[in-house]
Amino acid sequence: MDAHDERGTTMTGVEPDRLDDQQLMKELETIHRTRHDTLLYGSNGALRAHNDRMAQLEGEYLRRNPRRPVAAGRTREGARERSAANATVPTTPGT
């Protein structure tokens, strides 16, 4: 596949498994940065293409990094612990 394969007006980009680690991270950063605008202002086709590309890139990242570090606060258990800690903080005015 070429660097950009045109199918209609959809740009599919380089297959994620052909990107080196640095290129993959750059692609992920770019697609996450453009996500909000695509959701709000993109056509249905653009959003569909964005979803597909994001899933491909994220899937490749996860395939390469199966033991990636996971922050405790980003798990359900960590979120529950945060909620419990916040619930025990006094809410008395003036303290």
Side-chain angles (χ1 to χ4, degrees), residues 69-82:
V70 176
R74 300 296 300 183
T75 65
R76 285 187 177 157
E77 185 177 325
R80 287 187 193 110
E81 288 174 11
R82 262 195 331 272

Side-chain angles (χ1 to χ4, degrees), residues 1 3-4 10-17 19 23-24 27-28 31 35 46-60:
M1 178 186 289
H4 291 283
T10 302
M11 299 295 284
T12 59
V14 176
E15 291 295 324
D17 62 349
L19 299 169
Q23 291 168 324
L24 179 61
E27 289 282 324
L28 282 165
I31 203 158
R35 179 65 182 171
L47 185 57
R48 200 169 16 261
H50 205 273
N51 288 342
D52 291 345
R53 182 65 174 171
M54 184 178 284
Q56 291 171 354
L57 294 167
E58 289 178 346
E60 181 62 19

Side-chain angles (χ1 to χ4, degrees), residues 20-76:
D20 65 31
D21 288 345
Q22 185 176 1
Q23 291 168 324
L24 179 61
M25 288 307 296
K26 184 174 180 177
E27 289 282 324
L28 282 165
E29 290 167 2
T30 299
I31 203 158
H32 284 117
R33 188 175 56 252
T34 61
R35 179 65 182 171
H36 190 73
D37 282 344
T38 305
L39 175 64
L40 294 179
Y41 309 114
S43 66
N44 288 340
L47 185 57
R48 200 169 16 261
H50 205 273
N51 288 342
D52 291 345
R53 182 65 174 171
M54 184 178 284
Q56 291 171 354
L57 294 167
E58 289 178 346
E60 181 62 19
Y61 178 83
L62 293 173
R63 185 188 70 75
R64 293 182 193 187
N65 300 282
R67 290 183 174 84
R68 73 192 192 290
V70 176
R74 300 296 300 183
T75 65
R76 285 187 177 157

